[in-house]
Amino acid sequence: GEAITLFTEADFDHLRNIANVMKLSGCDVPDWMLSLKKNSKGGGTGGKRIPMKRKTIDTSSGYDKKKLHKKKQIIENSKRKKDQG
């Protein structure tokens, strides 16, 4: 098979690392990619690694979410009817 690796200017700091992985896996890598200077590991954080901020991962299925939502609506409607009547 054939693979194409695309990168943007935002990826440029990590391009040398990507090129090294590609070379180790047997790909042809242009010399200019391998001759890029190493990026600083700290990135202004004093050498500390900061985890990426991302949304929480929800492992429940869409079916279960809909079922739970419907159940909550039924309970809420039941409470409303009880308060009114």
Side-chain angles (χ1 to χ4, degrees), residues 62-74:
Y63 173 79
D64 290 337
K65 289 178 191 176
K66 288 178 185 177
K67 193 174 177 182
L68 183 63
H69 180 70
K70 189 172 183 178
K71 185 176 181 180
K72 286 181 180 181
Q73 280 184 328
I74 291 170

Side-chain angles (χ1 to χ4, degrees), residues 1-2 6 8 10-12 15 19 23 29-31 35-37 42-43 46 49 68-69 72-73 82:
E2 187 174 312
L6 303 174
T8 64
D11 302 322
F12 204 75
L15 188 58
K23 184 175 180 180
V29 180
D31 290 332
S35 64
L36 292 171
K37 68 176 188 172
R49 293 184 139 219
L68 183 63
H69 180 70
K72 286 181 180 181
Q73 280 184 328
K82 187 177 178 181

Side-chain angles (χ1 to χ4, degrees), residues 43-56:
T45 60
K48 296 179 183 177
R49 293 184 139 219
I50 300 173
M52 293 175 51
K53 292 184 183 341
R54 48 177 95 172
K55 296 178 185 176
T56 57

Side-chain angles (χ1 to χ4, degrees), residues 7 11-17 19-20 30-39:
F7 59 92
D11 302 322
F12 204 75
D13 291 338
H14 306 286
L15 188 58
R16 181 174 178 196
N17 293 336
N20 284 331
D31 290 332
W32 67 269
M33 285 186 185
L34 297 171
S35 64
L36 292 171
K37 68 176 188 172
K38 291 184 180 181
N39 59 341

